[in-house]
Amino acid sequence: MGERVLELRVHGVSNTPPDQLLGLRPEPGANGPHPTLVAGGTVTGFYRSTAAGPDDPITVEAYSWGQLTSGARTARDVERALWTLLLPFTLANVALHARPEIPADPDTERWTSRSGITAWLIRLFCLSLTATLSIALTGVGVDLIAWQCVDQDCLRRLPGPWEFLGQGWWRADFHPLAVGLLLPLTVLAALGALAWRTYQYEAEMPAAPPPRPSDPGPEADPLANPLQDRTFWAGEGQLRRAGVLHLCTGAAVAASVPVAAVLLTDPPRGVRAAVAWPTVAALAAVLGTAVVAVSRPWLTRRRGRTPLGRWSVAVGVLTGLGLIGTFALLLLPDGPAGRPLPEFRPPAGCFRAPAPPGCLTDRSLPGYDTAVAWLATYQALLLITIGAVARSGRRALPAPVAGAALLPLGVAWIEGGLPGVPAAPPGLDTWMLAVPAIAVAATGLLLPRTRPDGERQPLGAHTDLAWGGRGPALIAGAGWMMALAYCAGLLHWVAERLNADAGPERVRPPPAVFWAGLAFAVALVALAGTAIRAGLLFAALRRREYAELTRPGTVHSAHDRRRCRDVSGYRALHRLVGEHAVRLVGWYATVAAGLATLCCAAALSRSRPGSAVGRQAVVHTVADVGGMMLGWLPVVVAALGLLVYRNDTVRRSVGVVWDVGTFWPRAAHPLAPPSYAERAVPELQTRVAGILALAEHDPRRMDGVILSGHSQGTVICAAMLFQLPARWRRRIWFFSYGCQLTRLYGRVFPAYFGPDRLRVLAGTLTRPDGGVAWTNFWRATDPLGWPVTAGGRDLPVVDPVALHPSGGEVADPPIRNHSGYPEAVEFQRERAVVARLLRRTVPSPRQGVG
């Protein structure tokens, strides 16, 4: 039997079907070759052409993993579209992997190190995001519906038989709050069940092929990249433990809202006190345990399937006791409160006639508006701390810690005074202290970046660290602002629904919702400005590229000039994405951070805008439009998520962001969508190692494998190569094309694909003669493909091959930009040479390759 080489192709985010991956083009009506499944199943599978023979020198095989993130038009697409609503959790989870200086061996990471502190802060921020969802749903169920919606006219606007809450026993005391609390608890339970059944992704482990007698024992390579950790893609136990913490934290936060209202309006005595204070202690213990637990090694280390542990059981029991106490407290009769309960709630009949006193007064649930404002403010301070520590280490902690400590002291000074301190001047508002306090915290972001010892220069231009090391804060901040937008939009939509056709609003969401709508409208204007800036840059780059293609001394026809304009557009897009995209995102993030700071300060002052007259009418109009858009934002995101899975054009643009986010394992937020790489990487490793381990005379045996990855498939292949034992890597050559390892992954995720860590990948592919078994193909017209320059061979691909038809063709050669690399002449030529090198009959590798 002749010696054979397998080319294993892995597609990117566009989910290229197997027939196109294999290069099959059956004629219409003809029974030509078609792909057939040789391993795997309908979700992920390995395909070969039916025309492939056992004696072919090069056999092409396609690995199709796209059904993990997209697929046929079935009900499953709708489920995946709903996953996009959890994009805030996804971005927060990605932030953990954007930390610089993550140690190659996770067991060597210490809590006091830069990466250790940043990891704890990010996990703490992820807990707060779960609390944000919980407190928003509690606002809908407990505040807007159970507290402010007090009579039949209001409750009738809700779908379902909710009128019972406005009459009899259910309307008395705090009884409606017990019913309203069921909304956040039900959503959390549904979210937990949805996430729980996806944890099997993280249980996937590669199958180890049986070694042959001639094979050496398993190598114990020293870890030089976190992706080499054997448990990186197997974290089911970690996910289950973290999931319990997040769900219990969300339930405790939801229960704390009505409990705080009871304590503020009706101080408990006697039997009520015997129920209230143990309930408060149980809920506080849950929150305190979760804050401490997210920094512990038993949570941060991924060790596959393990029991939940005693801590998880204890947190679950405490949460159950806290919920039982909460419902008991809400269902008990009122005690001897300092003020009658009706003084805190809107009077009945306001929806019919708003004339009675108190109807148009803000009567929101006591303590709820304050809790929302403080949660958002401390999330902003937490993000500042994450960015400062990730950039400058522990020396950046004093500034954000000082801002976080001084802010509550300043608010207490304004509202009630401090012992031994003169009273606050009249007219001094909370926002006047909130903005300076946040600004003091932000000075930590301006400290010089601490560089690790022995850090080498970037691989080339535009391959340095993105955003000066503040990447974790920027990515997590994007998730935070999207979460706030979702929650504010939900509260605004429910309030508008309850206030429909009622004249002046009777049911009022927290003031933070108004400011969020105003900030969102301004943020959209800033986004439009960023898009205009990007358009101007694109036009300037296009003019330069066109001048280069039509430089003086060359003669071009009108047809050639038109083609030059087309080519220059693709080249300009290539340069815009590779050279300017990261900076543009940083500019917009700076504007968004300023808006978020002002929004938090305004919400913290608990002031509502004045009447909508004069100049304030413009502000009210802008805020109302922003609030309306916030209400539609989740629907738009879900619809866009559905289009990502159904429309190739949308998928190639928007789907890139989604597939980058869901590539990483859920090591920070367990309720995020599952990672497709948790299954793709182990499956690819199992397939490659299994084929290379076949016996000498097995007809399926291959002498070598060309691992051919396109776009996101390049990242999957690189992650698999880090996991593959060295004895199998010696018979592999890596082809990457449309590669984003330097300009995107290397800059945003330096601990995995930064200059030093990419050199590790090149080192693992180094052959005995010193050459590197890695060829990277790139085009100047590909917006997502660039040179790697990490030690392998960078081979430019001409695109298009000519400006006009040639060789008897009548159509212009296509501009392939990000697709069609295997059809290129350069690819075919390199593949033929590499195939000869991988066969055993060739005594030594070709000199100069790599």
Side-chain angles (χ1 to χ4, degrees):
M1 184 182 68
E3 296 162 341
R4 296 191 298 159
V5 171
L6 176 70
E7 182 193 352
L8 181 53
R9 296 179 180 176
V10 184
H11 64 76
V13 299
S14 59
N15 190 20
T16 307
D19 57 340
Q20 295 183 23
L21 278 175
L22 298 173
L24 303 179
R25 295 182 178 84
E27 298 179 1
N31 294 324
H34 59 274
T36 180
L37 185 69
V38 294
T42 57
V43 177
T44 57
F46 296 83
Y47 295 83
R48 293 184 186 179
S49 171
T50 53
D55 296 326
D56 292 345
I58 301 179
T59 300
V60 180
E61 184 172 295
Y63 176 48
S64 178
W65 56 270
Q67 294 285 344
L68 295 173
T69 58
S70 66
R73 300 189 176 187
T74 61
R76 194 176 177 191
D77 281 344
V78 178
E79 177 186 346
R80 296 192 189 103
L82 293 177
W83 277 117
T84 59
L85 295 177
L86 301 179
L87 187 57
F89 295 166
T90 301
L91 293 172
N93 182 73
V94 171
L96 183 76
H97 302 283
R99 293 173 295 147
E101 296 187 35
I102 300 175
D105 186 352
D107 290 328
T108 63
E109 184 178 67
R110 296 294 176 261
W111 185 91
T112 55
S113 65
R114 185 205 308 216
S115 62
I117 296 176
T118 309
W120 177 64
L121 292 173
I122 291 174
R123 289 193 171 96
L124 192 60
F125 173 77
C126 289
L127 267 182
S128 75
L129 274 190
T130 303
T132 300
L133 171 66
S134 180
I135 204 169
L137 294 170
T138 306
V140 172
V142 175
D143 182 20
L144 298 184
I145 297 176
W147 182 262
Q148 297 190 51
C149 195
V150 294
D151 53 26
Q152 304 284 338
D153 293 328
C154 178
L155 293 170
R156 212 171 278 127
R157 303 175 190 274
L158 296 171
W162 297 103
E163 290 87 344
F164 72 93
L165 291 177
Q167 57 188 349
W169 183 86
W170 286 105
R171 190 185 186 282
D173 306 329
F174 291 98
H175 302 163
L177 304 189
V179 180
L181 185 59
L182 295 178
L183 174 62
L185 296 180
T186 302
V187 174
L188 285 172
L191 188 60
L194 181 63
W196 199 267
R197 68 186 184 88
T198 66
Y199 291 165
Q200 66 222 11
Y201 274 73
E202 284 74 10
E204 194 82 22
M205 287 290 286
R212 293 177 297 174
S214 59
D215 283 339
E219 303 90 340
D221 293 336
L223 298 183
N225 190 304
L227 290 174
Q228 292 176 307
D229 180 21
R230 306 301 298 174
T231 63
F232 188 87
W233 302 108
E236 184 188 13
Q238 180 199 43
L239 274 173
R240 294 185 185 277
R241 292 188 296 268
V244 169
L245 288 178
H246 277 253
L247 293 173
C248 291
T249 298
V253 168
S256 298
V257 172
V259 168
V262 171
L263 297 179
L264 290 173
T265 61
D266 190 10
R269 300 175 186 174
V271 176
R272 293 171 58 81
V275 176
W277 297 119
T279 299
V280 172
L283 297 177
V286 171
L287 298 178
T289 303
V291 169
V292 175
V294 293
S295 67
R296 306 308 301 162
W298 60 267
L299 180 74
T300 58
R301 301 294 180 260
R302 300 171 66 80
R303 286 291 181 261
R305 186 179 180 88
T306 55
L308 292 179
R310 290 176 294 178
W311 281 64
S312 300
V313 174
V315 170
V317 171
L318 287 172
T319 303
L321 294 176
L323 291 178
I324 292 173
T326 299
F327 281 104
L329 184 63
L330 296 178
L331 296 178
L332 284 174
D334 274 353
R339 293 169 58 188
L341 186 60
E343 292 189 15
F344 295 95
R345 298 186 69 183
C350 286
F351 275 77
R352 256 182 267 106
C359 278
L360 300 181
T361 305
D362 181 12
R363 295 292 184 90
S364 57
L365 187 70
Y368 179 72
D369 295 355
T370 303
V372 170
W374 278 105
L375 175 61
T377 301
Y378 269 89
Q379 283 177 325
L381 291 170
L382 187 57
L383 286 171
I384 291 174
T385 310
I386 290 170
V389 174
R391 174 177 170 82
S392 305
R394 286 178 292 178
R395 66 176 181 173
L397 278 174
V401 169
L406 292 176
L407 183 55
L409 293 177
V411 173
W413 176 52
I414 292 175
E415 295 185 351
L418 294 176
V421 179
L428 185 64
D429 202 351
T430 303
W431 70 268
M432 300 178 184
L433 294 180
V435 172
I438 298 176
V440 168
T443 57
L445 296 170
L446 305 178
L447 293 176
R449 183 167 76 91
T450 302
R451 300 177 183 272
D453 297 335
E455 181 184 44
R456 289 190 278 179
Q457 294 298 319
L459 296 171
H462 308 289
T463 62
D464 55 333
L465 193 61
W467 308 302
R470 307 178 188 93
L474 189 145
I475 297 172
W480 173 63
M481 285 186 281
M482 180 167 282
L484 292 185
Y486 281 0
C487 296
L490 177 63
L491 290 167
H492 181 274
W493 184 85
V494 173
E496 287 294 312
R497 170 82 178 180
L498 296 176
N499 286 317
D501 303 324
E505 62 177 14
R506 278 72 155 174
V507 174
R508 297 192 178 189
V513 174
F514 175 89
W515 299 114
L518 183 62
F520 184 70
V522 178
L524 288 180
V525 175
L527 182 61
T530 305
I532 292 173
R533 172 61 177 166
L536 294 175
L537 281 173
F538 174 77
L541 292 171
R542 186 175 183 177
R543 286 194 299 270
R544 294 177 194 171
E545 293 295 334
Y546 182 77
E548 180 68 22
L549 291 172
T550 59
R551 54 182 178 269
T554 59
V555 179
H556 293 283
S557 65
H559 176 272
D560 289 344
R561 289 195 297 271
R562 179 181 61 80
R563 290 278 286 167
C564 286
R565 283 193 294 270
D566 295 339
V567 174
S568 63
Y570 283 101
R571 290 190 176 185
L573 185 60
H574 169 84
R575 292 189 57 187
L576 178 68
V577 175
E579 299 175 8
H580 302 282
V582 170
R583 186 170 70 253
L584 289 172
V585 171
W587 287 350
Y588 181 72
T590 303
V591 175
L595 287 173
T597 298
L598 296 176
C599 185
C600 289
L604 199 60
S605 64
R606 292 181 295 178
S607 62
R608 290 186 183 272
S611 58
V613 294
R615 294 181 180 178
Q616 292 183 352
V618 178
V619 177
H620 274 266
T621 301
V622 174
D624 288 340
V625 172
M628 181 184 64
M629 290 188 292
L630 284 175
W632 284 101
L633 183 62
V635 179
V636 172
V637 171
L640 190 60
L642 186 61
L643 285 178
V644 163
Y645 300 130
R646 290 172 174 256
N647 186 284
D648 290 340
T649 302
V650 177
R651 178 158 183 78
R652 289 190 180 97
S653 53
V654 181
V656 173
V657 178
W658 180 251
D659 281 359
V660 169
T662 53
F663 169 79
W664 298 102
R666 293 175 285 185
H669 206 301
L671 305 181
S675 164
Y676 59 87
E678 299 276 8
R679 181 168 174 179
V681 172
E683 281 190 352
L684 190 61
Q685 180 181 351
T686 300
R687 179 65 175 170
V688 171
I691 287 178
L692 293 177
L694 291 172
E696 192 76 23
H697 300 290
D698 194 304
R700 300 169 297 169
R701 171 183 166 80
M702 296 289 172
D703 293 280
V705 172
I706 299 175
L707 192 60
S708 181
H710 173 237
S711 189
Q712 188 69 14
T714 296
V715 185
I716 295 175
C717 292
M720 189 277 290
L721 287 170
F722 277 122
Q723 294 276 317
L724 201 64
R727 66 180 182 275
W728 308 126
R729 289 198 305 266
R730 298 187 190 106
R731 295 163 58 188
I732 291 177
W733 198 290
F734 184 25
F735 277 7
S736 59
Y737 40 96
C739 179
Q740 307 142 24
L741 290 178
T742 50
R743 301 290 178 94
L744 175 60
Y745 277 89
R747 303 186 70 182
V748 180
F749 308 106
Y752 303 94
F753 301 106
D756 290 337
R757 299 297 166 86
L758 269 186
R759 292 185 179 106
V760 171
L761 177 60
T764 61
L765 295 171
T766 300
R767 301 173 68 85
D769 70 322
V772 180
W774 182 3
T775 304
N776 178 64
F777 304 89
W778 66 279
R779 293 188 180 116
T781 57
D782 185 354
L784 296 177
W786 301 283
V788 173
T789 62
R793 171 180 167 87
D794 284 297
L795 189 61
V797 177
V798 177
D799 185 46
V801 295
L803 294 177
H804 45 72
S806 60
E809 289 287 344
V810 295
D812 289 327
I815 304 175
R816 297 188 179 275
N817 57 84
H818 192 56
S819 61
Y821 276 94
E823 288 80 18
V825 174
E826 296 86 350
F827 187 97
Q828 296 288 335
R829 185 186 303 120
E830 183 75 4
R831 187 181 73 159
V833 174
V834 168
R836 290 199 300 269
L837 295 177
L838 290 174
R839 296 190 184 106
R840 292 175 301 169
T841 53
V842 179
S844 62
R846 176 180 60 152
Q847 299 296 325
V849 175

